[in-house]
Amino acid sequence: MNAILKPPIQRYLEALELEIKRHSGVSPEDALSDAREYLQNQQESLLRAEPTLDDEALYKQFVESFGPPREVAAAYAESTGDEAETPLGYAPGWRVCCTTCGRSAPLRKHGIRIGAASFHKYTLGYCRGCRWIRWLRVIRDAHRANLTEQLGTTNTPDQVRRSLHRPWLVMAAIVAAVLSTTLAPWFFVAARAPAVREREFIRLVVGPDQMTLQGEQVTRDQLRNRLAAYPHRERTVLEFAATTPQLADIESAYARAFRMAIELGFEYLSDVGVQPLGAKGSLPQQIEVDTAKQEELARHVNQVRRQPVKDRVQVLWLPDRSLAVDGRVVNDDQKLLTVLRAVPNRSGTVLEVVGKWNASGNKIPTEFGRRLPGPLAHISADTALRFLWDSVAKGLGYKEVKFTEWQNTEPAAAPPSGPAASVVKEWLRLVLAGKLDEADKLTDFPRRADATHDVRDPKLLAGAKLEKQFAREQAVLIVSDVRQVAGKRGKLFFLLFRDPRRFSDWLIREADFVDERELEERIAAFLAPALLDQEVERTLGKDKNHVLDLESGRVRDLTEDWDRNVDDPLKWLAVRGLDIGLRFNPNKPGEIFGLSLVGNVVEVDGEAWNTVDSRELEKLLEGKLAMNSVLEANPDQLPATYVFRTHGHPANEPYVGVLQILGIDQTQQELRFKYRLVGKSQPVNR
Amino acid sequence: MPPDTSRKKFQKELNAGAVSLVLLAILEKQREPMYGYEIAKQLESLAAGDLPMHQGAIYPALRSLERQGLLRSRMIPSDSGPPRKYYQLTAAGKAALADWMPVWQRTKQFVDLLLEGCNERDSKTADSKVSRSARA
């Protein structure tokens, strides 16, 4: 506690302080401390002897016993050997004092100071009291009794000096102020300027029994700590390499490295193929492809351009169904997905998919076209896989997928065609209804010999949640929650056939990210029975040797080009797509003969003309054999209605339809009838 | 120069050297640390209330002796007032006291010797001045 001084003591000390500050070589704090000690004790003594002593009397007693302030100050000055007063310059009110010992002197002794304003000023100088270089403070308090107040009743001189003089704090504050003033604009600019990032690359090479990290051998236990020790991991790429393509357990090693890269905050993991032990990461460069594999690739790719490995993973889908990732064979789709997941900034990356087999038969140079921007390229062997990659890319959040058709020069590579679209639709209807056994019996999907890729692996969907999955030998139906895949509402509906490329193509058009209601509508439309085309009415005449192509509605007069020397007239007609002829039998008027009408001709009730649909037609014709049918109509019971299936053209599938005989003219030997086909008939004028 | 001022100046000059000797002597006599006020009161007591100097002159002398290494001091907080600075003789201080005492004795004897004759003549002169004024 620092109590207030008694007025007489304070008065005396203040007078002494002013006197002391006029002298050189004296520490005012010391002198005031001495005087305070004396005066406090003296006052107590005097008041004990005479309690009624007033302040004025006390002050007189102080002066009488302790001495007048001027004399006391002079005594201190003399004790130090300095002159009492040295009026050399002109600096009224200023003094300079040592911040360590408190030795003080009027500033006028050292120079002139006029009209200056100052709060704290320090300078280094020699102190005769300390006899060493000290911080000297220039202070304007010679006219003020500030030290008396600072000293109070209990503070020591050292405490007063410490409270008054803090040159280091002041210097630190000045330095901080200067730095903040000068550096603040720089920080402002630096904060707004885009960060200059330079990628760094460190390489992990995994061998059968050892591995190296950036050229130094490391054990599996040490790996995490060694990786964690790298600074700037956020802009460092961890490269992963194996010493040999046939390294066992390479996929799990890659997966571990991938997890570490994510957990430790590396920018991304980059697969750099086969590298020797001790290899170090470096700036993007050409990679060396394994020689044997390079030859293998060269057989399928006329020119394999070496791509920079950084930011690009080249995936080749080989005919033997193995994957070549940067020249290293990978027989695990999961590994490939891991590679895809490791690519950073996928939302801004185009996944480029190159279809290898398009099987057009046209000779097109098998060469990579110009790369689209993006780190990935994939050569897909079939359309189903193309679609798979499409879904995978969406599931992984790639910006978009671009398919580059890269056509093969071997027509034989084209997969065989599959069953009719109507059969596939029926198959799909049964699958959706859960009648899988019936679906299996419906048809035998043709399969390519090398179709071994299992598209049923849910992992291929990149974590998509499967709501429904029907796995069969031929295909897998997957209804996937789109929100899980692409963050969109609705469902992803697609059917992956193992191989029949044609139907995969067709279904790919059906499958898309759509609204759930729209999807249901599309599925309903997809499964709905096909409508019958518009009716076509024709009249055939016996004398004119008329024959009819039902699909085109074209009537042909055989008298013009009939070759009577053909060995098999019916085959001759069938090859030309002709379906129906007319024959008049005196005993059986109105007979129409069918030329290999597939599925036979079945007479049905007349109402069927208006009510039958494609599904009923298929049902009516189910199990019927193809043969040359004859439609015998009773002129008294017309109209007569029939269902039929055509034999089809070489380029077209068979059609089903309904036919109704309307009238028979015995005299003219003509027969009038109408018919409707299911889908795709394009009748022409006669 | 007025007689009073002259006397004060003489006393001051006389005290300048004597105070240090007195302080060393009293600290040696007490043989225990003493603070400034205590020393002042001790001297006042010894002088029977007629200390030939202001007690304020003791403190700068104490600090001067401390700077010379003849005294050492220690600041001790006080329950009743400001902290007290206790002084104690050092070995150098004791040696200085022993060295200064013969000097003081010789000076004192010499001054006393001179002053003895002055006192006799002064008294005669004063008597003659009184008789002359009485006659006048």
Side-chain angles (χ1 to χ4, degrees), chain B residues 10-25:
Chain B
F10 172 69
Q11 181 68 63
K12 186 178 173 182
E13 291 171 353
L14 199 59
N15 291 343
V19 168
S20 296
L21 181 62
V22 167
L23 293 174
L24 292 178

Side-chain angles (χ1 to χ4, degrees), chain A residues 29-305:
Chain A
E29 295 88 356
D30 289 345
L32 291 172
S33 176
D34 291 343
R36 182 187 59 182
E37 179 211 287
Y38 179 88
L39 297 175
Q40 288 274 83
N41 288 295
Q42 180 73 352
Q43 179 179 259
E44 289 178 12
S45 175
L46 291 172
L47 290 176
R48 267 199 306 271
E50 193 175 352
T52 58
L53 216 56
D54 61 8
D55 289 350
E56 189 62 30
L58 276 172
Y59 185 78
K60 285 184 178 176
Q61 287 288 341
F62 292 159
V63 173
E64 188 176 334
S65 60
F66 197 69
R70 176 181 288 266
E71 288 187 15
V72 174
Y76 274 100
E78 289 169 6
S79 71
T80 63
D82 283 8
E83 294 181 73
E85 293 183 11
T86 52
L88 300 177
Y90 182 81
W94 292 90
R95 69 185 179 100
V96 59
C97 57
C98 175
T99 57
T100 303
C101 71
R103 182 183 171 89
S104 171
L107 190 60
R108 65 188 177 209
K109 186 178 180 181
H110 303 278
I112 298 174
R113 191 174 181 87
I114 302 172
S118 172
F119 178 66
H120 279 158
K121 287 185 182 300
Y122 290 90
T123 182
L124 281 172
Y126 182 78
C127 174
R128 292 175 62 184
C130 301
R131 298 183 178 180
W132 192 241
I133 302 295
R134 298 292 189 197
W135 282 105
L136 305 179
R137 182 181 175 186
V138 180
I139 186 170
R140 192 176 192 180
D141 66 348
H143 295 332
R144 292 186 291 118
N146 57 318
L147 298 179
T148 299
E149 187 178 355
Q150 294 276 339
L151 198 65
T153 58
T154 57
N155 287 338
T156 65
D158 285 339
Q159 288 174 327
V160 173
R161 280 190 285 270
R162 282 199 297 270
S163 65
L164 281 176
H165 310 308
R166 294 189 178 92
W168 293 114
L169 288 178
V170 172
M171 291 299 291
I174 291 172
V175 170
V178 170
L179 289 178
S180 61
T181 304
T182 55
L183 296 182
W186 185 87
F187 280 118
F188 180 74
V189 172
R192 293 178 65 86
V196 178
R197 285 166 36 108
E198 185 175 349
R199 270 184 184 154
E200 296 176 7
F201 298 87
I202 59 173
R203 182 170 295 175
L204 174 67
V205 183
V206 179
D209 52 1
Q210 57 181 329
M211 58 184 172
T212 61
L213 178 63
Q214 198 62 356
E216 296 181 4
Q217 192 164 351
V218 62
T219 65
R220 185 172 166 177
D221 295 336
Q222 297 170 337
L223 182 59
R224 174 176 286 274
N225 290 336
R226 295 281 293 276
L227 289 173
Y230 277 95
H232 315 305
R233 292 193 296 277
E234 73 285 355
R235 56 181 173 85
T236 300
V237 177
L238 176 59
E239 297 179 343
F240 180 88
T243 56
T244 168
Q246 285 76 35
L247 188 65
D249 203 26
I250 187 66
E251 282 74 26
S252 61
Y254 183 89
R256 285 196 299 274
F258 177 75
R259 280 197 300 273
M260 284 188 191
I262 296 297
E263 291 168 4
L264 295 176
F266 282 91
E267 187 167 4
Y268 62 90
L269 183 72
S270 177
D271 191 329
V272 294
V274 177
Q275 302 289 340
L277 275 173
K280 294 182 179 180
S282 60
L283 293 175
Q285 58 189 2
Q286 303 293 324
I287 62 166
E288 294 297 330
V289 180
D290 177 69
T291 305
K293 184 52 62 181
Q294 195 169 9
E295 292 176 356
E296 181 182 351
L297 296 176
R299 288 200 297 271
H300 304 283
V301 183
N302 289 347
Q303 183 182 1
V304 177
R305 295 178 181 173

Side-chain angles (χ1 to χ4, degrees), chain A residues 561-613:
Chain A
D561 53 1
W562 175 253
D563 183 359
R564 298 184 183 278
N565 296 322
V566 296
D567 295 335
D568 189 346
L570 293 180
K571 185 177 180 181
W572 185 91
L573 293 170
V575 168
R576 285 158 179 77
L578 301 172
D579 300 309
I580 291 178
L582 182 65
R583 181 175 65 183
F584 271 84
N585 187 329
N587 300 323
K588 295 180 179 177
E591 182 184 72
I592 291 177
F593 64 91
L595 298 169
S596 300
L597 282 184
V598 180
N600 307 317
V601 178
V602 178
E603 185 172 3
V604 295
D605 188 80
E607 286 297 313
W609 175 261
N610 297 316
T611 60
V612 74
D613 59 21

Side-chain angles (χ1 to χ4, degrees), chain A residues 9 43 49 73 129 167 238 247 260 307 398 408 521 556 651 682:
Chain A
I9 299 176
Q43 179 179 259
L238 176 59
L247 188 65
M260 284 188 191
Q307 302 289 343
Y398 281 87
N408 195 285
E521 293 173 354
R556 192 164 179 173
Q682 296 176 337

